[in-house]
Amino acid sequence: MPTRCDPDPPPALPASLRTPMAIVAGLAGLAVAVLAARYAGSDTAGALDRRLRSDVTSLLGRPSSGALVVDLFGEPMVVAVLVGVLAALCLALRRRALAAVAVVGPILTGAATTALKPVIGRTIHDGHLAYPSGHTAAVTALALVGMLLVVGLIRGGRAIGLLLVLGGAGVAGAAMAWAQIVLDAHYPTDTVGGFAMAMAVVPATALLVDRFAPPITHR
């Protein structure tokens, strides 16, 4: 009697999204580099920062308890818990490759932001390293993985999948950017750099996992 094999495990990144997300990752990496070059060694807000801060505070309000709650989701311990929950959910739904990305993606994103800060040397408030925003990067990375899970489960087309992934990451990143700006924890362009860092690292991680991770099959 022939042995029945389970279907191949789903990839971290749906095939329809590989090319567009690779392009997104490349453009995001370029944005990180351009902003890093522009604000290296700076200790003041630039003209763009002042304009963005004015727009954000006038449209969305000044510091509030809501901003403090949002900020909490970017704290390292909370991020670690969310990474564990997200990875466990991926495993429970038999998304093993995406579970690996759920762990490795945010870790690499955090490592990249931490390593880049002293290299760029942009500071705020008595010398605190500012670029790129680790809080914004962390929340964006988690949102990206979460939306990749949703897209994989609903099996939508390229347009729907890309809209969900970019839209979900954009909403999460914008929420954290708002909190960092109104709490005066970062310059606005720091949050843009943090968002772009996650958009570069997580898709690249997913592509690498799908390319090099050994297949898992069951008999």
Side-chain angles (χ1 to χ4, degrees):
M1 177 180 292
T3 302
R4 188 182 69 179
C5 295
D6 291 341
D8 291 336
L13 199 61
S16 63
L17 296 185
R18 287 174 190 163
T19 297
M21 289 308 295
I23 294 171
V24 167
L27 293 174
L30 179 61
V32 171
V34 169
L35 289 172
R38 169 63 181 83
Y39 295 106
S42 171
D43 60 359
T44 59
L48 179 59
D49 290 305
R50 292 191 294 272
R51 174 62 183 273
L52 289 174
R53 183 182 297 279
S54 175
D55 290 344
V56 168
T57 55
S58 63
L59 290 174
L60 301 176
R62 296 186 179 277
S64 64
S65 58
L68 292 172
V69 172
V70 173
D71 177 75
L72 182 64
F73 283 91
E75 291 295 320
M77 289 302 298
V78 176
V79 171
V81 171
L82 293 175
V83 164
V85 170
L86 190 53
L89 182 59
C90 290
L91 287 173
L93 294 171
R94 303 177 64 83
R95 280 354 194 229
R96 296 178 181 86
L98 190 57
V101 176
V103 175
V104 178
I107 288 176
L108 289 180
T109 300
T113 58
T114 301
L116 192 58
K117 282 183 177 180
V119 175
I120 302 307
R122 190 184 200 191
T123 58
I124 189 172
H125 302 320
D126 300 322
H128 292 285
L129 294 171
Y131 180 90
S133 166
H135 277 57
T136 309
V139 168
T140 303
L142 290 168
L144 265 174
V145 176
M147 295 315 298
L148 285 174
L149 177 60
V150 170
V151 169
L153 291 174
I154 67 173
R155 298 181 181 181
R158 174 179 291 182
I160 293 176
L162 196 60
L163 179 63
L164 287 173
V165 171
L166 297 183
V171 169
M176 183 56 75
W178 163 73
Q180 298 306 296
I181 293 168
V182 299
L183 293 173
D184 201 26
H186 280 281
Y187 302 114
T189 47
D190 297 335
T191 67
V192 176
F195 175 79
M197 180 68 79
M199 297 300 293
V201 172
V202 174
T205 302
L207 288 166
L208 289 172
V209 167
D210 286 340
R211 175 67 178 82
F212 294 107
I216 303 173
T217 58
H218 302 273
R219 292 186 179 276

